[in-house]
Amino acid sequence: MRVEIWSDIACPWCYVGKARFEKALRDFPHRDEVEVVHRSFELDPGRAKDDIQPVITMLTKKYGMSAAQAEAGEDNLGAQAAAEGLDYRTRGRDHGSTFDMHRLLHLAKEHGRQERLLDALYRANFAEERSVFGEDERLVELAVAAGLDEDAVRAALADPEAYADEVRADEREAARLGASGVPFFVLDRKYGVSGAQPAEVFAQALTQAFGERAPLKIVEGGNTGDSAGADACGPDGCAVPQH
């Protein structure tokens, strides 16, 4: 079974939702049969790389809330993250473009390091003091620590078109599936779970999707009515035609 997760590094509920989903997956009896694929989604597509501002300022401008309301929201998110065992800085974080991070995540996917890089980016953005926005060296440091080749990372960052098509394709697919926000979880392209739901909801969705997988239907060839089908190789060897 495949689970696709659309998310953005700037999204605190994606950070929390990933932990809740992983909790459900750890307890899922068929977890070894579940493939998890992470897909790109930008909360601020097209945002300039140098357009960086404090999170509290961004929240007041984007949502028309007061600074006190924005701070209360951050405090609530900090409590939600702590309940999942995650560190979360409720003050002093900033906000900016995540496009380069998504491009690097596609590079990491090619080398089997996507999960490690995604976790590193989340942790750096939400729990560490040094910003992940606007400074290529910070992204190089995180990507190399996640196991990527430094030259490959620098080359990707230097070329704004590197993996850009992959990021945009993920975002178009999200729109096609009806995702207007993240995190957005899609199970076997049959079920969608929106938001950082409790682990129990993810567990229920995994169980339902896994249980409803259609069994393989065998198409028999010829008109003989022979259910054994055509010649094939099996655990006992290959049938040898007799003349």
Side-chain angles (χ1 to χ4, degrees):
M1 183 172 72
R2 170 179 283 197
V3 178
E4 297 164 276
I5 306 173
W6 275 263
S7 60
D8 191 11
I9 299 92
C11 165
W13 287 118
C14 296
Y15 180 49
V16 173
K18 184 175 187 292
R20 291 176 177 173
F21 171 77
E22 289 174 347
K23 180 180 179 182
L25 186 60
R26 280 195 300 272
D27 295 334
F28 186 54
H30 306 287
R31 60 185 176 276
D32 292 340
E33 299 176 62
V34 178
E35 175 193 12
V36 178
V37 178
H38 294 282
R39 301 209 180 276
S40 298
F41 190 105
E42 295 170 274
L43 292 174
D44 282 327
R47 190 184 186 101
K49 186 171 182 176
D50 60 355
D51 184 3
I52 304 167
Q53 61 185 165
V55 166
I56 298 300
T57 302
M58 179 275 293
L59 291 172
T60 58
K61 290 183 177 180
K62 186 171 184 178
Y63 300 107
M65 61 179 63
S66 67
Q69 288 173 321
E71 290 174 352
E74 283 293 284
D75 290 339
N76 175 58
L77 279 163
Q80 299 272 359
E84 305 303 329
L86 302 172
D87 292 328
Y88 190 99
R89 294 177 65 235
T90 60
R91 301 291 186 273
R93 294 191 304 107
D94 56 11
H95 178 80
S97 171
T98 56
F99 185 58
D100 284 350
M101 299 180 215
H102 284 294
R103 294 195 299 114
L104 289 182
L105 284 167
H106 280 280
L107 168 65
K109 182 180 179 181
E110 289 185 349
H111 299 278
R113 295 290 188 272
Q114 188 184 49
E115 189 86 26
R116 288 179 62 182
L117 179 57
L118 181 59
D119 285 340
L121 290 169
Y122 274 141
R123 184 172 57 254
N125 184 41
F126 291 109
E128 298 176 4
E129 290 190 15
R130 187 177 170 191
S131 176
V132 295
F133 299 104
E135 184 185 348
D136 283 354
E137 285 305 311
R138 177 62 163 147
L139 298 184
V140 170
E141 171 190 298
L142 292 168
V144 170
L148 294 178
D149 176 75
E150 181 175 341
D151 291 339
V153 173
R154 292 188 182 279
L157 289 172
D159 178 5
E161 296 304 313
Y163 301 98
D165 288 345
E166 288 83 347
V167 175
R168 300 306 185 208
D170 278 355
E171 293 172 338
R172 287 194 300 271
E173 187 68 2
R176 189 187 73 79
L177 292 171
S180 57
V182 285
F184 187 65
F185 302 77
V186 177
L187 292 75
D188 262 357
R189 291 297 172 107
K190 291 178 63 178
Y191 294 97
V193 179
S194 181
Q197 300 287 347
E200 294 78 12
V201 174
F202 288 122
Q204 180 182 358
L206 286 166
T207 299
Q208 185 169 350
F210 191 87
E212 293 184 8
R213 291 183 306 160
L216 186 67
K217 295 181 179 179
I218 305 298
V219 177
E220 304 293 352
N223 300 313
T224 64
D226 181 6
S227 62
D231 294 331
C233 294
D236 296 323
C238 300
V240 178
Q242 301 295 317
H243 299 287

